[in-house]
Amino acid sequence: MSAEREHILREMGLGPAWKLRAAPAPIPADEVVAPSPTAAEPPREIAPTIAPTIAPTIAPTVATTAPLAAMGWDELAATVTACRQCRLCEARKQAVLGVGDRNADWLFVGEGPGAEEDQRGEPFVGQAGKLLDSMLAAIGLKRGNDVYIANAVKCRPPENRTPAPEETATCRPYLERQIELIQPRLIVALGRPAAQTLLQSEVKIGAARGKLHDYRGIPLIITYHPAYLLRTLLDKAKAWEDLCFMRHTMQKQKDR
Ligand code: URA
């Protein structure tokens, strides 16, 4: 095994925690990806309840008086907890809103709760979550400390399948409201469903990573989902580069 590969494996959880050793290269200005027309749209005024797209016969159990766009955290949490706007509500144990610092500079967005998350009500608490925690630690971050973690969909897709486009679309206003409330300096999309939900366009991770995207004026970086990294050792080296890029981008945001 080459020294480089051995080094990478050590960094990727088959050894001690990741450590940031070198400052990442500056991002050339031409690497900033222009926001898609949809991403540049101003926040939408969202109706008090989201129009059901899948199970129109299921009525929300909590009548919300405020439009989503006017909700604070408590109302938003209650609305998500009671949400029955798509079929994902049928098999969930509970909806999982998100976890962390509600004034965080860093927002990480995953795909959707898995079995453990559904059980415990917190995102990324299983194996993928352990890797995410190591990734955070590698750039000096800690869950809950200037970091908020959310998902594209708030309810567990059965059998841990990828959420369907109509499910991410139905749940998206909740994520949008979370972003409006948090006002992070940087959003990190973990994997394709999160990236596509946020950018409202087709994304290929291999092509989209390493570039600066834009979500309504907030820089957005796309990287691999930790669950994918657990299966695909070789791409962990790229994830490491992405972490350095994130850290560098945040520093630039703070220096502005
Ligand atoms: N994978 C995700 O995308 N989110 C979680 O919360 C857990 C696993």
Side-chain angles (χ1 to χ4, degrees):
M1 190 185 302
S2 73
E4 187 192 13
R5 181 167 163 76
E6 202 176 349
H7 168 78
I8 289 167
L9 293 180
R10 236 188 5 259
E11 296 292 352
M12 299 305 158
L14 298 178
W18 292 3
K19 289 202 182 68
L20 190 69
R21 298 208 172 97
I27 320 154
D30 59 5
E31 276 185 12
V32 179
V33 178
S36 68
T38 324
E41 280 172 14
R44 281 183 285 130
E45 197 52 36
I46 298 162
T49 55
I50 305 156
T53 54
I54 295 174
T57 52
I58 303 172
T61 51
V62 168
T64 54
T65 47
L68 203 47
M71 282 184 193
W73 280 106
D74 290 348
E75 278 173 301
L76 179 63
T79 303
V80 168
T81 298
C83 181
R84 301 193 67 81
Q85 301 287 348
C86 86
R87 65 187 164 204
L88 293 184
C89 69
E90 290 164 15
R92 74 174 179 216
K93 287 197 170 60
Q94 58 187 314
V96 180
L97 177 66
V99 69
D101 180 349
R102 291 174 171 181
N103 295 307
D105 282 342
W106 296 83
L107 170 64
F108 289 80
V109 181
E111 183 175 319
E116 285 189 66
E117 289 77 17
D118 183 49
Q119 181 74 38
R120 288 175 49 185
E122 180 173 334
F124 283 100
V125 288
Q127 281 303 110
K130 290 198 176 76
L131 179 55
L132 178 60
D133 286 339
S134 300
M135 292 163 74
L136 296 179
I139 49 172
L141 298 176
K142 196 161 176 248
R143 161 187 307 247
N145 194 351
D146 205 21
V147 171
Y148 193 91
I149 304 174
N151 278 309
V153 294
K154 311 305 186 204
C155 298
R156 182 194 179 198
E159 315 301 329
N160 293 343
R161 66 166 168 75
T162 302
E166 64 270 22
E167 292 160 354
T168 51
T170 304
C171 215
R172 186 170 183 259
Y174 296 141
L175 179 60
E176 289 172 347
R177 185 63 192 144
Q178 284 177 295
I179 297 171
E180 284 168 9
L181 289 168
I182 297 167
Q183 297 186 3
R185 286 193 211 239
L186 176 64
I187 301 173
V188 178
L190 301 164
R192 196 163 181 237
Q196 294 191 156
T197 300
L198 287 161
L199 291 179
Q200 293 283 277
S201 63
E202 272 290 310
V203 169
K204 293 229 169 13
I205 300 289
R209 57 168 290 278
K211 296 175 183 149
L212 210 47
H213 302 265
D214 176 278
Y215 172 89
R216 298 180 179 173
I218 303 171
L220 183 147
I221 289 175
I222 297 171
T223 189
Y224 296 103
H225 192 284
Y228 168 83
L229 292 173
L230 287 171
R231 301 189 300 269
T232 320
L233 212 54
L234 280 179
D235 279 337
K236 286 188 180 171
K238 294 183 192 156
W240 174 245
E241 288 169 17
D242 295 345
L243 284 167
C244 295
F245 180 41
M246 287 169 209
R247 205 175 109 117
H248 175 76
T249 304
M250 178 58 83
Q251 196 51 57
K252 274 180 62 174
Q253 286 296 104
K254 288 185 174 170
D255 291 345
R256 275 168 28 151

